[in-house]
Amino acid sequence: MKAVRLLEYGRQLVFNDVPTPAIARDEILVKIKSTAVNHLDLVKASGTARQILPIDLPWIPGHEFSGVVEQIGSDVAAYAPGDAVFAANETGGAYAEYLAVKPAAIARKPSNLSFEEAASVPVASQTAWQGIFTHGHLEKGQTILIHGGAGAVGAYAVQLASHAGATVIATASGDDEAYLNSIAASRVIDYREAQFEKVLREKVDVVFDLIGGDAQKRSFLVLKEGGHLVSAVQPVSQEEAAMHHVSGVMMRLAPSGNVLSRIARLLEERTIRPDVATVYALPDVAQAWKDIAGNLPGVHGMSPSGPGAPTRKKHGKIVLHVA
Ligand SMILES: NC(=O)c1ccc[n+]([C@@H]2O[C@H](COP(=O)([O-])OP(=O)(O)OC[C@H]3O[C@@H](n4cnc5c(N)ncnc54)[C@H](OP(=O)(O)O)[C@@H]3O)[C@@H](O)[C@H]2O)c1
């Protein structure tokens, strides 16, 4: 099969032929239609975080995909060849024509979404779901502050929290206000113009941190006692959390077919919507990585001001069309 691989940390990706994976009795072989690009692909490939995010080289990146079941192992009953599916996976491998996966991580593709749209959903939406519900324990009637609300994860967090009956406040660039209002944010605080802790009059039940650094530090000041600070980007100080009588956790996505099936229903009902910024063909992955590196300066030796600097639409995911 054709696949994109990283042969050495920090080096260029190569696109060529590799053996098609063989499946175990409890696995499914998926023919990949589309995959999407995540910061995580670039961070793992750079090798800068190899102690906590190790990969086996040569490595095929790609932590989410949509596709069609090609073959099932003898122990698999839940899916059959021809089923359209989508999923996130922890180890990568989706920048390829085929991927072997366990059924527990996958879900049926929403019928109203194209394969390209479906590939953009699993990582961002499940991170948002687990961040606000599993770790943030958000409930109807509560208030949540989402840092980075206009990003890929943030946009799902805004939509899911609003659908759950919470009041949603998001920090974002001022020019994202209309976008955030269109996906049901109650209030947008322009992080370039205002310090959120100075303009918020009431404290919030949950902070979902997609930014880290100073934004995370200042979040303790706006949480109610007993509230939850959940970060998807960096560890939360337990001393500070105890001092403010809140819980603090850094989450890591644990892909779940059950969660993704619930998200799929919301997409089919059009309660929430996906957002695709750009679609590239798989062999053009280098350009896709240059685009996303613009949001992640310094990673993989790519500079946002260098050649191929960001040209993409402001919101949504970068998708790779595979077949
Ligand atoms: N822990 C996990 O399992 C997990 C899973 C998925 C993602 N993540 C991480 O979560 C983070 C967000 O991912 P993403 O895909 O949503 O990123 P993204 O699409 O690049 O979005 C980032 C957003 O943050 C905004 N922003 C930048 N600085 C800000 C600030 N100080 N205050 C408020 N907003 C600010 C950006 O807007 P402007 O460009 O206009 O500034 C952009 O809209 C990344 O660090 C990613 O690696 C973690």
Side-chain angles (χ1 to χ4, degrees):
M1 67 170 181
K2 293 276 185 226
V4 168
R5 289 183 305 156
L6 178 82
L7 305 182
E8 281 180 61
Y9 281 121
R11 291 298 174 88
Q12 296 222 324
L13 298 169
V14 295
F15 179 68
N16 54 20
D17 287 302
V18 299
T20 301
I23 52 167
R25 287 164 48 161
D26 62 345
E27 286 184 326
I28 293 176
L29 187 68
V30 177
K31 184 169 170 47
I32 307 286
K33 292 278 201 178
S34 289
T35 179
V37 179
N38 283 285
H39 297 165
L40 185 62
D41 299 330
L42 282 73
V43 172
K44 282 187 177 177
S46 72
T48 51
R50 71 183 84 172
Q51 309 298 346
I52 43 169
L53 298 169
I55 52 175
D56 290 329
L57 294 168
W59 178 61
I60 303 177
H63 294 86
E64 59 191 326
F65 61 86
S66 63
V68 175
V69 174
E70 175 84 5
Q71 195 191 339
I72 55 169
S74 54
D75 292 352
V76 175
Y79 293 92
D83 288 346
V85 295
F86 70 149
N89 70 322
E90 274 172 304
T91 50
Y95 289 12
E97 287 181 306
Y98 293 93
L99 180 65
V101 291
K102 302 257 193 247
I106 69 176
R108 287 175 198 280
K109 180 184 87 64
S111 53
N112 58 325
L113 261 51
S114 67
F115 281 101
E116 288 162 356
E117 287 171 323
S120 75
V121 170
V123 168
S125 65
Q126 290 186 87
T127 303
W129 180 293
Q130 292 176 353
I132 65 181
F133 299 130
T134 312
H135 301 286
H137 309 285
L138 184 71
E139 288 173 16
K140 186 175 177 173
Q142 292 190 329
T143 300
I144 183 170
L145 172 63
I146 299 168
H147 292 310
V153 179
Y156 282 106
V158 168
Q159 295 180 82
L160 291 169
S162 161
H163 176 62
T167 299
V168 182
I169 304 166
T171 62
S173 300
D175 50 8
D176 284 328
E177 185 164 357
Y179 169 73
L180 280 161
N181 289 336
S182 81
I183 56 171
S186 317
R187 181 172 174 196
V188 178
I189 299 172
D190 182 348
Y191 75 89
R192 296 172 202 261
E193 297 291 329
Q195 303 267 84
F196 60 84
E197 73 279 15
K198 297 204 173 121
V199 298
L200 279 178
R201 283 205 203 93
E202 285 173 17
K203 295 204 168 189
V204 304
D205 301 279
V206 180
V207 173
F208 188 31
D209 167 34
L210 297 163
I211 301 301
D214 193 44
Q216 184 187 101
K217 255 195 160 108
R218 291 186 282 120
S219 294
F220 289 110
L221 304 173
V222 302
L223 272 166
K224 289 178 187 166
E225 260 190 37
H228 305 286
L229 170 49
V230 181
S231 179
V233 294
Q234 69 176 56
V236 178
S237 159
Q238 295 307 301
E239 291 73 36
E240 287 251 19
M243 220 161 71
H244 290 90
H245 306 286
V246 299
S247 81
V249 66
M250 179 183 172
M251 65 157 296
R252 188 146 156 201
L253 168 63
S256 152
N258 286 338
V259 168
L260 192 56
S261 294
R262 295 172 74 175
I263 290 165
R265 272 200 294 281
L266 296 175
L267 288 159
E268 272 178 337
E269 292 165 0
R270 295 185 162 77
T271 302
I272 61 172
R273 65 181 204 225
D275 199 353
V276 173
T278 320
V279 180
Y280 289 101
L282 184 61
D284 297 332
V285 60
Q287 184 59 47
W289 277 30
K290 279 183 183 153
D291 284 9
I292 202 168
N295 277 5
L296 208 61
V299 169
H300 210 62
M302 291 166 178
S303 151
S305 56
T311 50
R312 67 173 176 131
K313 186 180 131 219
K314 195 161 164 38
H315 308 113
K317 299 276 298 197
I318 299 174
V319 169
L320 298 169
H321 177 84
V322 179

